């Protein structure tokens, strides 16, 4: 069976360059269904996904197949302006494969929509796009924030405007297929460039697909180095043998994620450091509403909370506000004990790695 196929610094360097030549053509398409047949000619008037993708672009996504149907919701903005621009495009193959692309503002109520977006799009299986781009990609998921130079900075506490793509459920224990990953990255950049061109922005994002780091691999670990972090251990002092082997993000990016025991994109145990402050905004509201309060020990700055299923701490680092979290699926006494043991050591180790340490926190009894 064939498998289904981010430093926050100024985006005026690296892969963001002045546009050369004509902007991407095409008007926004409404709820129009378009079938591309094998014997059809050029489709310049019928470009897919908001007028951005040509027939060859879509065929690239589907390994050369051209009988792909398109249905779309045009990119529009809420008249109240509360939720930002949004739109959706679905590409469907008669053989059952489907690719969905969306434009939307990330929901600041916990990592997206009830943390589902963060589960899938900030997973350890993702690879940072690199070179100043706020985005990540795997063989089944991809996302990229529209550069602020085009759309402006989000409002205080709001998430960035992103274009994301998904191809269905991820078979998490399979290796990332680099060819499919490259195809998603190429298409994602075209969609972002098309959106910017429609907004009249005179810049484009370069295709990063040829320079992506190697994908992550499952790791073996020692009892005192959970997720490969020396000195980090579970509450019982043993290896985390009640979880599957860890997968850890490879390459410097907006997040460093360690996931274990993932089912339908949802990890039973996640340790994640959100280094880009634009993504830390996704957790700001949550930090005011959950659990028992936690603060930095001594001169340490920052604040957070612990509850049976989640420990979270936010602090200022050289790049801006960072978020450190440990989350479990179960929320039982064992899981809560793991969080209380893991969180202080995890925060200390990650803060040192990022250059904003020493950062020490003390949990309430």
């Amino acid at each position: 069976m064939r498998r289904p196929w981010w430093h926050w610094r100024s985006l005026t360097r690296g892969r963001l360059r002045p546009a050369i030549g004509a902007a991407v053509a095409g008007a926004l398409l409404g709820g129009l269904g378009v079938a591309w047949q094998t014997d059809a000619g050029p489709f310049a008037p019928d470009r897919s996904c908001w007028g951005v993708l040509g027939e060859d672009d879509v065929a690239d996504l589907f390994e050369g197949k051209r009988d792909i149907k398109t249905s779309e919701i045009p990119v529009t903005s809420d008249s109240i302006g509360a939720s930002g621009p949004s739109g959706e495009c679905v590409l469907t193959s008669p053989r059952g494969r489907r690719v969905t692309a969306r434009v939307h503002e990330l929901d600041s109520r916990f990592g997206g929509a009830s943390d589902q977006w963060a589960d899938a799009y900030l997973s350890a299986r993702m690879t940072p796009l690199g070179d100043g781009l706020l985005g990540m990609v795997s063989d089944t998921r991809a996302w990229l924030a529209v550069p602020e130079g085009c759309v402006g900075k989000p409002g205080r506490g709001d998430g960035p405007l992103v274009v994301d793509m998904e191809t269905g459920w991820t078979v998490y224990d399979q290796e990332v297929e680099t060819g499919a990953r490259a195809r998603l990255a190429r298409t994602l950049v075209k969609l972002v460039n098309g959106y910017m061109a429609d907004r009249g922005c005179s810049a484009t994002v370069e295709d990063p697909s040829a320079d992506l780091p190697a994908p992550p691999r499952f790791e073996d670990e020692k009892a005192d180095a959970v997720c490969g972090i020396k000195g980090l251990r579970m509450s019982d002092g043993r290896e985390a043998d009640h979880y599957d082997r860890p997968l850890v993000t490879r390459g410097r990016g907006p997040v460093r994620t360690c996931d274990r025991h993932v089912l339908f994109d949802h990890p039973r145990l996640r340790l994640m450091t959100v280094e880009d402050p634009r993504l830390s905004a996704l957790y700001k509201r949550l930090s005011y509403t959950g659990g028992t309060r936690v603060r930095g020990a001594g001169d340490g700055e920052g604040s957070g909370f612990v509850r049976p299923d989640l420990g979270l701490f936010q602090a200022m680092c050289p790049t801006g506000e960072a978020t450190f979290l440990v989350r479990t699926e179960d929320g039982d006494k064992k899981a809560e004990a793991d969080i209380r043991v893991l969180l202080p050591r995890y925060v200390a180790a990650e803060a040192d790695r990022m250059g904003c340490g020493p950062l020490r926190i003390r949990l309430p009894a």
Side-chain angles (χ1 to χ4, degrees):
M1 175 178 178
R2 187 188 296 268
R3 287 186 293 164
W5 73 266
W6 148 278
H7 194 255
W8 68 285
R9 296 191 183 276
S10 174
L11 289 172
T12 57
R13 45 177 271 208
R15 298 194 180 279
L16 188 61
R17 58 177 172 78
I20 299 177
V24 178
L28 296 179
L29 299 178
L32 174 65
V34 179
W36 284 335
Q37 304 297 335
T38 318
D39 56 353
F43 277 80
D46 295 322
R47 298 172 71 86
S48 183
C49 290
W50 317 301
V52 176
L53 303 181
E55 180 182 6
D56 290 342
D57 299 322
V58 175
D60 183 37
L61 275 177
F62 289 85
E63 299 180 344
K65 301 296 188 298
R66 296 177 180 266
D67 53 345
I68 309 303
K69 293 183 177 181
T70 305
S71 60
E72 303 187 11
I73 299 173
V75 180
T76 58
S77 296
D78 190 309
S79 59
I80 301 176
S83 58
S86 63
E88 181 172 290
C89 173
V90 181
L91 302 169
T92 307
S93 162
R95 289 156 293 279
R97 296 178 62 189
R98 175 178 293 184
V99 178
T100 302
R102 298 183 300 164
V103 177
H104 62 115
E105 184 179 279
L106 293 183
D107 191 336
S108 59
R109 292 168 295 183
F110 193 55
S114 301
D115 81 346
Q116 293 176 3
W117 188 89
D119 277 353
Y121 289 91
L122 301 182
S123 82
R125 212 168 179 273
M126 306 289 286
T127 301
L129 291 174
D131 207 8
L133 299 178
L134 176 56
M136 306 179 79
V137 64
S138 72
D139 52 357
T140 61
R141 299 286 186 274
W143 67 277
L144 176 58
V146 180
E148 292 179 352
C150 177
V151 297
K153 293 184 177 181
R156 183 177 178 85
D158 292 334
L161 179 69
V162 304
V163 177
D164 61 35
M165 301 180 68
E166 60 94 3
T167 66
W169 290 113
T170 302
V171 182
Y172 203 85
D173 57 358
Q174 291 183 351
E175 292 187 3
V176 173
E177 185 183 334
T178 56
R181 183 182 68 168
R183 291 193 291 270
L184 270 180
R186 284 195 297 270
T187 307
L188 175 68
V189 166
K190 290 175 182 176
L191 292 175
V192 171
N193 284 336
Y195 179 83
M196 292 196 297
D198 186 71
R199 290 289 302 264
C201 302
S202 59
T204 58
V205 177
E206 290 187 0
D207 177 10
S209 59
D211 300 317
L212 293 172
R217 294 181 178 274
F218 287 95
E219 301 178 2
D220 294 322
E221 66 185 1
K222 298 179 180 179
D224 63 344
V226 170
C227 291
I229 300 174
K230 189 174 181 180
L232 199 62
R233 58 179 63 87
M234 307 301 288
S235 60
D236 53 13
R238 301 191 306 270
E239 293 185 25
D241 53 5
H242 49 296
Y243 298 109
D244 287 345
R245 289 186 305 161
L247 192 65
V248 182
T249 310
R250 180 177 291 183
R252 186 161 181 88
V255 298
R256 180 191 186 276
T257 304
C258 173
D259 283 335
R260 318 181 71 127
H261 211 114
V262 179
L263 181 63
F264 297 121
D265 290 325
H266 192 70
R268 284 188 60 197
L269 178 66
R270 167 170 287 187
L271 283 68
M272 183 168 72
T273 301
V274 183
E275 300 188 31
D276 191 299
R278 290 170 293 179
L279 291 183
S280 278
L282 303 183
Y283 298 90
K284 195 65 178 178
R285 295 184 189 179
L286 185 70
S287 68
Y288 290 117
T289 59
T292 303
R293 302 296 294 165
V294 175
R295 296 195 178 277
D299 295 331
E301 298 182 358
S303 63
F305 65 88
V306 288
R307 67 188 194 200
D309 63 335
L310 177 65
L312 181 147
F313 195 79
Q314 293 186 310
M316 291 302 297
C317 287
T319 57
E321 189 169 57
T323 299
F324 311 90
L325 68 86
V326 179
R327 197 190 76 196
T328 67
E329 167 71 14
D330 302 323
D332 56 16
K333 290 184 178 181
K334 170 64 178 176
E336 183 177 9
D338 284 340
I339 289 174
R340 295 181 66 88
V341 167
L342 289 169
L343 185 64
R345 294 170 180 166
Y346 181 70
V347 170
E350 285 292 275
D352 288 345
R353 177 183 66 83
M354 294 175 60
C356 53
L359 183 57
R360 305 292 181 261
I361 64 174
R362 183 167 48 240
L363 301 184

